[in-house]
């Protein structure tokens, strides 16, 4: 093995850039030669090239379930690991964790795996859950270190035999507090703006978001609902109708969400499950209250009643009630929630915590 090579396997260069570039740069700065295997080759890949990484484009279906294609992916990873002979393989997201983990195990190369979320197959139960757990066991078995992003996922992993007590709980991906700085709360203008950031998917709470927007807009015409992100699933027609009726403003995907967070009074994340909600953490870091679900990966990001409100997942009325509760707060209380959210992120979710954990594990190799 070459003790100066680190191989990173990911299914999305965008996620690596948005939430883990500080970890990658710290590894480069520590004198390692970093290779990144990803399906993407774009401007974000160019960023990693500029800091000294080598990009290896590895195409695969991120979400598809095709045993033949997934087996080929494992063989591709195995060939790559055999050629590079890295001192360690770092894996993020489900398929790299599973099939990259299998490949690294076959090549007897230490693995540092980050479970950013268990995925729909595990969360939704049934035979797919059993299959995915079996695959996780093969991919993560005998890993040098497994990082989890919330306590519930870690406990589940230990209970199912995916991980053991040596696994480490990280504060999600953390937040770059120098990039996401506190923004002064908007001046009181008689209107209240709510922002959703993310893909429009069922499991992200798109249906509850739409129902709440319709109900609140009818009762409180001065409110505004904004959406930043991509449309996925079958929501385009419904979204178009809501936009045409003036119920929501669709702003599309945005490379930098900070101006949009800074322009609103509150953000909403009605997700059914998360590893750790980066949207919530970034919103709080920018000084905005958050309304989010009482599920693992979301509940940890706020202090209920102090930095935002927790709601029941899959429950439109619970979301409507929380929004009305927020609207009724005095202006000063809304602004205070935002300031308290910033303090919480500073205390508990500084990305430097994550950087230090990775460097510590790599130094032990």
């Amino acid at each position: 093995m070459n003790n100066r090579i680190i191989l990173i396997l990911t299914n999305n260069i965008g996620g690596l850039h948005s939430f883990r570039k500080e970890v990658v740069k710290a590894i480069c700065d520590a004198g390692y030669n970093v290779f990144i295997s990803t399906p993407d080759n774009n401007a974000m890949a160019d960023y990693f090239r500029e800091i000294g990484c080598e990009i290896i484009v590895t195409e695969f279906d991120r979400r598809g379930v095709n045993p033949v294609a997934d087996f080929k992916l494992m063989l591709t990873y195995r060939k790559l690991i055999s050629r590079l002979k890295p001192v360690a393989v770092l894996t993020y997201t489900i398929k790299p964790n599973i099939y990259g983990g299998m490949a690294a195990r076959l090549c007897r190369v230490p693995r540092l795996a980050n479970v950013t979320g268990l995925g729909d197959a595990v969360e939704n139960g049934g035979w797919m859950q059993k299959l995915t757990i079996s695959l996780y066991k093969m991919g993560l078995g005998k890993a040098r270190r497994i990082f989890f992003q919330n306590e519930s996922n870690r406990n589940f992993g230990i209970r199912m035999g995916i991980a053991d007590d040596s696994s480490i709980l990280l504060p999600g991906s953390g937040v770059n507090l120098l990039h996401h700085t506190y923004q002064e709360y908007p001046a009181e203008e008689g209107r209240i703006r709510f922002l959703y950031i993310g893909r429009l998917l069922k499991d992200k709470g798109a249906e509850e978001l739409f129902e709440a927007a319709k109900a609140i807009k009818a009762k409180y015409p001065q409110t505004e609902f904004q959406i930043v992100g991509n449309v996925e699933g079958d929501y385009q027609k419904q979204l178009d109708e809501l936009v045409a009726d003036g119920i929501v403003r669709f702003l599309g995907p945005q490379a930098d969400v900070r101006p949009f967070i800074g322009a609103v009074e509150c953000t909403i994340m009605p997700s059914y499950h998360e590893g750790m909600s980066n949207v919530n953490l970034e919103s709080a870091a920018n000084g905005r209250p958050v309304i989010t679900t009482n599920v693992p990966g979301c509940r940890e990001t706020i202090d209920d009643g102090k930095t935002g409100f927790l709601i029941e997942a899959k429950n439109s009325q619970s979301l409507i009630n929380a929004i009305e509760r927020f609207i009724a707060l005095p202006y000063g209380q809304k602004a205070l929630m935002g300031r308290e959210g910033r303090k919480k992120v500073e205390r508990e979710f500084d990305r430097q915590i994550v950087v230090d954990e990775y460097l510590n594990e790599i130094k032990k190799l």
Side-chain angles (χ1 to χ4, degrees):
M1 282 185 285
N2 184 328
N3 63 7
R4 306 314 298 171
I5 288 180
I6 297 287
L7 173 62
I8 297 175
L9 308 179
T10 183
N11 77 349
N12 188 328
I13 199 71
L16 197 71
H17 181 269
S18 296
F19 310 122
R20 301 170 189 103
K21 60 178 177 288
E22 295 85 1
V23 172
V24 178
K25 188 174 189 308
I27 295 171
C28 291
D29 291 345
Y32 290 91
N33 299 315
V34 177
F35 291 75
I36 300 173
S37 169
T38 172
D40 310 300
N41 190 14
N42 51 30
M44 284 172 279
D46 290 338
Y47 164 82
F48 289 107
R49 291 188 179 98
E50 289 170 4
I51 65 171
C53 303
E54 183 169 327
I55 301 295
I56 300 169
V57 178
T58 307
E59 296 183 0
F60 63 91
D61 186 348
R62 295 174 173 90
R63 299 181 69 87
V65 182
N66 183 321
V68 175
D70 290 342
F71 181 69
K72 288 181 178 178
L73 176 62
M74 189 277 290
L75 293 179
T76 298
Y77 282 147
R78 184 182 181 186
K79 183 177 179 181
L80 180 59
I81 294 167
S82 297
R83 175 170 67 85
L84 293 177
K85 296 180 172 60
V87 65
V89 176
L90 279 54
T91 61
Y92 294 95
T93 61
I94 296 171
K95 288 196 175 184
N97 277 341
I98 292 174
Y99 301 108
M102 291 179 187
R105 188 175 182 180
L106 288 170
C107 296
R108 298 184 178 180
V109 174
R111 288 156 288 148
L112 305 179
N114 193 312
V115 181
T116 55
L118 294 172
D120 296 347
V122 173
E123 298 286 351
N124 295 335
W127 69 269
M128 275 298 293
Q129 182 189 69
K130 295 178 180 178
L131 173 61
T132 306
I133 289 172
S134 296
L135 291 171
Y136 266 127
K137 287 180 179 179
M138 289 188 281
L140 301 182
K142 298 187 183 299
R144 178 63 178 262
R145 191 70 71 214
I146 302 174
F147 298 111
F148 287 92
Q149 298 203 352
N150 68 64
E151 190 66 54
S152 177
N153 282 1
R154 182 173 182 266
N155 290 340
F156 181 88
I158 293 172
R159 190 168 66 251
M160 294 293 108
I162 295 170
D164 58 29
D165 290 337
S166 69
S167 58
I168 292 176
L169 182 65
L170 293 176
S173 299
V175 182
N176 184 330
L177 296 173
L178 298 178
H179 181 72
H180 287 282
T181 58
Y182 177 79
Q183 300 189 58
E184 287 298 325
Y185 204 69
E188 190 170 15
E189 299 175 349
R191 62 173 175 167
I192 300 176
R193 294 155 293 191
F194 297 91
L195 174 66
Y196 169 89
I197 304 171
R199 296 174 294 162
L200 285 173
L201 289 168
K202 181 178 177 63
D203 281 7
K204 291 291 185 180
E207 294 175 13
E208 291 76 20
L209 175 69
F210 289 166
E211 287 301 313
K214 287 188 285 188
I216 293 295
K217 189 70 175 176
K219 189 173 180 180
Y220 305 91
Q222 78 278 17
T223 57
E224 185 176 290
F225 288 85
Q226 303 174 9
I227 295 174
V228 166
N230 292 304
V231 184
E232 298 189 21
D234 301 318
Y235 295 111
Q236 187 65 61
K237 182 180 178 182
Q238 193 173 355
L239 176 64
D240 290 342
E241 291 173 353
L242 291 172
V243 170
D245 292 340
I247 294 171
V248 302
R249 289 183 60 205
F250 181 61
L251 304 171
Q254 301 292 333
D256 185 357
V257 297
R258 291 174 299 174
F260 300 92
I261 296 174
V264 302
E265 283 74 19
C266 181
T267 65
I268 297 174
M269 175 46 66
S271 180
Y272 297 178
H273 55 83
E274 296 285 326
M276 187 66 71
S277 174
N278 291 297
V279 169
N280 289 356
L281 295 180
E282 291 174 359
S283 297
N286 283 270
R288 295 300 173 267
V290 177
I291 295 174
T292 193
T293 43
N294 188 14
V295 299
C298 288
R299 68 166 72 105
E300 297 88 346
T301 63
I302 74 162
D303 293 332
D304 190 27
K306 184 176 181 181
T307 70
F309 294 125
L310 290 176
I311 63 170
E312 182 181 339
K314 307 178 185 181
N315 187 326
S316 302
Q317 190 58 52
S318 181
L319 176 55
I320 291 167
N321 292 344
I323 293 173
E324 288 194 299
R325 193 176 163 197
F326 182 81
I327 291 171
L329 289 175
Y331 171 82
Q333 186 63 33
K334 296 184 179 78
L336 178 61
M337 272 189 162
R339 293 195 296 273
E340 291 297 328
R342 172 70 189 190
K343 291 177 184 176
K344 178 179 176 64
V345 170
E346 289 176 346
R347 286 193 310 268
E348 302 174 25
F349 294 98
D350 188 341
R351 186 163 291 169
Q352 191 60 44
I353 299 170
V354 180
V355 172
D356 292 344
E357 284 285 0
Y358 268 93
L359 289 180
N360 182 51
E361 290 300 324
I362 289 171
K363 288 174 182 176
K364 293 177 184 177
L365 298 173

